[in-house]
Each structure stands twice: as C-alpha cells, then as structure tokens.
Amino acid sequence: MLPEGEENLLVNETETEEALITSRTYRLDEDSLTVAGEIDDLDAIKQSLSLILQTERGAYEIYSEDYGTELTALIGQPAPLVFVNIEDAIKDALLQDDRVESVDQFEFEQVARDSVAVKFIVTTIQGEIDMGTEVNING
C-alpha cells in the first residue's frame, strides 16, 4: 500500500519524455586547421559528413569499423567502373549517420585523366545539403 498522495508517482516514473537531440559541435576551420567556435543543425551535419568522406574506413582505431569511406579501393580502376562503385561507397558511408535520410542525384565528371569529381544531394533530418568530393583513381 502506498502512502497517501504518492499513487501518481508510479505513473510519472514510467512516463518517458523524448529528449531533444542536438547536433551542436565544435566548428573546424579547414583553412587554418583550428577549432573556431561552435556550430549546430545543418552546418554541424555537413561538417560531420565531410569528415566521413575524408576518412578511409578502418584506417584509424578511434573510429568504429563503419565510419568513413572505402574510396581507396577505387584506385587503379577505369573511370566508368569508378562511377558505378563510388555511388555505392558514398551512400554506404553517409547512411551510417542516423541524421541522413537519403543520398541521391549523383553527377560524375572526369576532371583529369586520374581524377573523378562527384556531386550529390544529401537529405538529412535538418534539410538538404549539396555535397561533392574528388577521387583520385590512380593513387
């Protein structure tokens, strides 16, 4: 038997409240290679996705085995084969982030004999981000 007035405590203890999820993080200034303030929302997601694209999967023990891309596997392959495989590699890497809903609208361009540029749109919980990267296919 519960003391008077405490019967509502059990109900309140079992109710859960959805926590506010934030993307707040430090802003990395790539030009000066310094930390410069903080960012949140879409800017923070974009920075995080950019870091994923710049990190080779499995190269650093600090990250989980699912973090990063596997773009070095494309080195030495002909451009048409790179076009096919880079889309899958980028989708696989970016969709590991729970804030990413889809990665679509890929556009490819061979910018040099040994380099392929790719542009795409990432749809996140905060909105869309235009992104791109360049892959050196000759190492």
Side-chain angles (χ1 to χ4, degrees):
M1 176 174 256
L2 294 172
E4 246 179 78
E6 293 191 18
E7 45 285 322
N8 288 333
L9 283 178
L10 290 178
V11 174
N12 291 337
E13 287 176 5
T14 59
E15 291 176 6
T16 59
E17 201 173 300
E18 190 172 321
L20 177 63
I21 298 173
T22 181
S23 294
R24 183 170 299 282
T25 189
Y26 295 104
R27 184 177 72 79
L28 304 175
D29 185 335
E30 292 184 27
D31 295 330
S32 66
L33 300 176
T34 60
V35 175
E38 294 182 341
I39 54 175
D40 200 0
D41 301 325
L42 200 57
D43 289 333
I45 295 172
K46 184 175 182 176
Q47 177 176 280
S48 177
L49 298 180
S50 179
L51 292 172
I52 290 170
L53 289 175
Q54 294 175 41
T55 304
E56 183 64 23
R57 187 173 284 175
Y60 305 98
E61 291 183 23
I62 192 170
Y63 298 118
S64 76
E65 60 189 41
D66 294 330
Y67 186 88
T69 60
E70 295 180 299
L71 297 177
T72 57
L74 303 176
I75 294 174
Q77 296 183 9
L81 191 55
V82 171
F83 293 171
V84 172
N85 292 328
I86 195 170
E87 183 173 340
D88 291 337
I90 289 172
K91 281 184 177 181
D92 181 52
L94 298 184
L95 288 170
Q96 297 297 321
D97 191 313
D98 293 338
R99 300 168 295 182
V100 174
E101 296 174 345
S102 66
V103 184
D104 300 300
Q105 300 182 29
F106 283 82
E107 295 178 17
F108 302 94
E109 179 184 355
Q110 188 160 357
V111 292
R113 184 173 175 263
D114 61 351
S115 186
V116 174
V118 59
K119 295 179 183 179
F120 47 92
I121 295 178
V122 181
T123 304
T124 73
I125 60 173
Q126 294 286 333
E128 289 187 352
I129 303 171
D130 291 327
M131 294 197 75
T133 191
E134 196 168 310
V135 179
N136 186 336
I137 57 178
N138 285 332

